[in-house]
Amino acid sequence: MCEAAAPTKKADSAAKRARQAEKRRVYNKSKKSEARTRMKKVLEALEGLKKKTDAQADEIVTVEKLIGEAYSAIDKAVKVKALHKNTGARRKSRLARRKKSR
């Protein structure tokens, strides 16, 4: 048996799939990263509010706005299938629970 007959070059279709996979990986990574960043900002803002004894109304409105942005980023990541829908729901639920417990 001659093993030298095995092809050494990737098939064109395999190369195309590799290029597509790389594009998707980078796109999904950015969506996930944005969702994580928004969540982190909300959690930091909630920690800041927790440390203050008397929270002003405008500070609470700011946190509400951050939560809305985080929800939006999570929903967008779920929509393009960068995150699973249950993962998105779990993350949104965690944010809501943290806000409620402040």
Side-chain angles (χ1 to χ4, degrees), residues 67-82:
I67 289 175
E69 290 172 358
Y71 278 14
S72 178
I74 292 168
D75 288 337
K76 285 178 184 175
V78 168
K79 188 171 97 175
V80 297
K81 304 227 166 90

Side-chain angles (χ1 to χ4, degrees), residues 5-82:
T8 57
K9 181 180 172 281
K10 269 189 181 177
D12 290 341
S13 61
K16 181 178 179 180
R17 294 300 285 176
R19 287 193 308 269
Q20 289 174 333
E22 179 62 17
K23 274 186 185 176
R24 287 191 188 105
R25 185 188 70 79
V26 171
Y27 182 73
N28 289 341
K29 185 178 177 185
S30 71
K31 290 289 184 185
K32 288 181 196 178
S33 176
E34 183 182 358
R36 273 195 303 267
T37 302
R38 302 277 184 189
M39 286 180 63
K40 209 177 286 187
K41 285 184 179 181
V42 169
L43 296 176
E44 287 172 2
L46 286 173
E47 285 298 316
L49 273 182
K50 197 179 273 190
K51 289 179 183 175
K52 290 185 177 182
T53 54
D54 55 333
Q56 301 297 323
D58 59 333
E59 293 170 335
I60 294 170
V61 169
T62 306
V63 171
E64 291 285 342
K65 186 179 175 194
L66 288 173
I67 289 175
E69 290 172 358
Y71 278 14
S72 178
I74 292 168
D75 288 337
K76 285 178 184 175
V78 168
K79 188 171 97 175
V80 297
K81 304 227 166 90

